[in-house]
Amino acid sequence: MSRVVLFENIHPSAKEVFVNAGMDEVITHAASLPPGELQEALSGAHFVGIRSRTHLDAALLSNAPDLRAVGCFCIGTNQVDLDAAMLHGIPVFNAPFSNTRSVAELVLGEAILLLRRIPEKNARVHQGHWDKTATGAFEARGKTLGIIGYGNIGSQVGTLAEAAGMRVIFHDVEAKLPLGNARATTSLKKLLAQADVVTLHVPGGKSTANIINAAALAAMKPGAILINASRGTVVDIDALHAALQSGHLSGAALDVFPSEPKSTDEPLNSPLIGMHNVILTPHIGGSTQESQENIGREVAEKLVRFGLSGTTKGAVNFPEIAYQEALGAARILHVHRNLPGAMGTLSNMMAEHGLNIVSQQLQTRGQIGYVISDVEGKVDDTVMSVLRSHPITVRCDLV
Ligand code: NAI
C-alpha cells in the first residue's frame, strides 16, 4: 500500500494517474505547509508531490523514513535538497517539458503584437484616441526571427514561427538539429544583425548573465524587437531601457526580470514600467491550464513508474535506469554506497537466501549506486531485513 501526499493544489490530473495505477491513498493539501505541519504531513508518506513553495531540506528528508520519491510538479527543483535526497535513496522527479508549448505560443503572440504595435495602439484607444495609421506596423510573414538558445522551447518557437511565415535563424552553444527550415548562424553577432525579432531561450547562470547588454543591443537591427521569457538575468535592463528610449529598438516583451516581486501585491520595480511599446508579464510564460494538467500527469507518471517498476529515468538527482519489464518472481530495488565490491556483497546476500538473479541493472552517480534485481525465489521479511540492515545499504524496497 502506498500513500501519496500532494501539496500546493497540484492539478487533479496527478491524482487520476495515481488512482488509475492502484495508488488510491492520495492526500491533497491546497497550499504549502509551515515546517512543523509539513513534517507531520510527510509522516507515513511514500510519495510526495510539491511545487515551488514547499521546501524539503535535509532535516525533513531524514525524518521521513517511508518516503520513496519526491515529485516536483514544476520545472525547478532547488526547493529540494537534492544531495540529501540522493543520500537517503530518494529520487526526485520534475516536469521539464510540460509547459514548453505554452511559452512558445506566448512568444509568437508577443512577436505578432509588437510587430503591429498593438500594446501602444491598445493604450491609445483606452486613452480616447483613434489613430488608424499603418506606420510602423508590419506582418510577421517574411520577417526574420532570431532564437538564442535552440533547446526545447526555442525549437518549438521556431516551428510555430515558420507556420506564421517567418524565416527562422538560431544561435546555440551546442550543435543542434534545425527543425523545418531553421538555420543556425555562426555567431550571436550574426543573428543579432539579421533578426527583426530576437527571442531568448537560454538557461540562467553565469554563462548567460547579461548576454543581451548594450553592445548586443547596438548590434541589433534598427527597429528590431526583443523578447525574453527565459531568465531575468539574461538581459541588462538599463541598457534595454536606453535602446527603447532612443528608438533603436521598436519594442520589447519581458516575462522574467532580474528581481521579481515575491507576492501578488508587490509591484515590479523596473525602468520599463509605463513604456507603451513594452509588454510586461508576471513570469507566466508557462502558466496555462494545459501546462498545469500536463505537469500533473507527467510527474505523477514518473512517480508511478518508479513506484511500480523502479525506473528512475528523468530523475534529477539519482542514477537513471530506464524501464525494463520485470522478469523474475520479484523485483528488488537496492540503493547502496558507491564502494568497490558493493555488487558482490549484494549478490552474495541474495545467494545466501536462495535468491537466483534473473536480471540486474546497475547505475551509479556520485556517492550512490542503484541496482534493480529481478529474482526467482522467496523474498520474505527476513531477506529484506538482511538486505536493509547491511552497512552498504542506503535503502532497499520490494516492488
Ligand atoms: P533547454 O535546456 O531545453 O534549452 C536551452 C538551450 O540554450 C540549450 O540548447 C543550450 O545549449 C542553449 N544555451 C545555453 N547557453 C547558451 C548561450 N550562452 N547561448 C546560446 N545558447 C545557449 O531549456 P528550455 O526548456 O528550452 O528552457 C529555456 C529557458 O526558459 C530556461 O531558462 C527556463 O528556465 C525558461 N523557462 C521560462 C518559463 C516561463 O514561465 N517564462 C517556463 C519554462 C522555462
Side-chain angles (χ1 to χ4, degrees):
M1 191 61 199
S2 296
R3 177 184 293 180
V4 182
V5 182
L6 304 177
F7 298 93
E8 301 186 67
N9 214 10
I10 286 167
H11 194 279
S13 60
K15 184 170 178 180
E16 202 180 305
V17 171
F18 290 119
V19 172
N20 287 344
M23 296 155 97
D24 42 20
E25 191 186 349
V26 181
I27 299 162
T28 56
H29 295 269
S32 59
L33 298 179
E37 288 176 45
L38 181 59
Q39 182 78 74
E40 206 180 311
L42 290 176
S43 155
H46 300 100
F47 299 94
V48 161
I50 59 170
R51 291 170 68 184
S52 56
R53 286 177 202 270
T54 302
H55 291 262
L56 297 180
D57 59 21
L60 278 164
L61 292 165
S62 60
N63 283 321
D66 297 317
L67 189 57
R68 290 189 53 205
V70 171
C72 295
F73 286 73
C74 49
I75 316 290
T77 51
N78 51 13
Q79 68 279 40
V80 180
D81 187 329
L82 296 176
D83 288 340
M86 179 179 80
L87 295 175
H88 284 99
I90 301 169
V92 177
F93 299 93
N94 68 340
F97 315 122
S98 287
N99 61 11
T100 299
R101 175 69 179 215
S102 301
V103 181
E105 283 191 12
L106 179 70
V107 168
L108 181 63
E110 289 177 334
I112 294 172
L113 291 176
L114 287 166
L115 282 164
R116 296 293 295 272
R117 307 183 73 138
I118 297 299
E120 187 185 330
K121 287 183 198 291
N122 172 56
R124 295 277 291 161
V125 174
H126 281 279
Q127 288 158 1
H129 302 285
W130 194 252
D131 177 4
K132 277 169 63 67
T133 176
T135 310
F138 300 97
E139 289 185 352
R141 180 172 50 173
K143 300 298 170 301
T144 299
L145 177 69
I147 300 169
I148 304 174
Y150 197 68
N152 293 317
I153 298 174
S155 54
Q156 273 278 324
V157 172
T159 307
L160 293 184
E162 279 199 348
M166 297 186 84
R167 178 179 161 252
V168 175
I169 56 175
F170 66 87
H171 167 70
D172 200 292
V173 284
E174 288 178 13
K176 295 279 171 169
L177 174 73
L179 300 184
N181 299 313
R183 293 269 176 277
T185 55
T186 48
S187 70
L188 175 60
K189 212 167 169 196
K190 287 202 170 127
L191 178 142
L192 295 172
Q194 291 176 55
D196 300 294
V197 179
V198 171
T199 183
L200 289 149
H201 300 288
V202 292
K206 271 194 197 146
S207 66
T208 57
N210 284 342
I211 52 173
I212 299 299
N213 53 18
L217 290 161
M220 286 173 70
K221 278 170 84 169
I225 286 163
L226 181 75
I227 301 177
N228 184 20
S230 61
R231 291 298 195 91
T233 47
V234 167
V235 176
D236 178 338
I237 295 292
D238 290 331
L240 174 62
H241 181 233
L244 288 162
Q245 261 194 333
S246 72
H248 177 57
L249 291 199
S250 70
L254 299 180
D255 188 45
V256 288
F257 303 87
S259 163
E260 297 182 3
K262 302 271 178 297
S263 70
T264 313
D265 299 326
E266 193 185 322
L268 173 71
N269 185 5
S270 170
L272 305 174
I273 299 273
M275 297 186 93
H276 286 158
N277 53 348
V278 178
I279 299 175
L280 301 175
T281 47
H283 205 146
I284 43 74
S287 308
T288 60
Q289 291 303 305
E290 288 85 351
S291 69
Q292 291 310 306
E293 188 178 339
N294 291 342
I295 287 171
R297 195 168 298 117
E298 181 181 341
V299 181
E301 279 170 359
K302 286 177 181 169
L303 291 173
V304 164
R305 272 202 297 271
F306 172 69
L308 299 183
S309 71
T311 175
T312 47
K313 192 90 190 131
V316 296
N317 66 331
F318 214 72
E320 288 189 73
I321 297 186
Y323 175 77
Q324 192 172 308
E325 205 173 325
L327 296 174
R331 174 167 280 192
I332 297 171
L333 314 179
H334 190 260
V335 185
H336 53 260
R337 281 168 244 298
N338 187 11
L339 297 170
M343 285 299 282
T345 306
L346 176 65
S347 301
N348 286 341
M349 283 191 284
M350 289 181 173
E352 278 162 20
H353 289 82
L355 300 182
N356 185 31
I357 298 166
V358 181
S359 160
Q360 215 164 31
Q361 300 175 74
L362 164 77
Q363 284 296 332
T364 62
R365 177 169 169 173
Q367 296 177 61
I368 65 158
Y370 175 49
V371 57
I372 300 182
S373 307
D374 288 339
V375 297
E376 294 292 3
K378 191 162 169 254
V379 185
D380 54 18
D381 289 349
T382 315
V383 187
M384 288 306 289
S385 92
V386 167
L387 295 178
R388 282 182 177 134
S389 56
H390 194 281
I392 61 152
T393 302
V394 172
R395 71 174 297 140
C396 184
D397 292 290
L398 188 63
V399 293

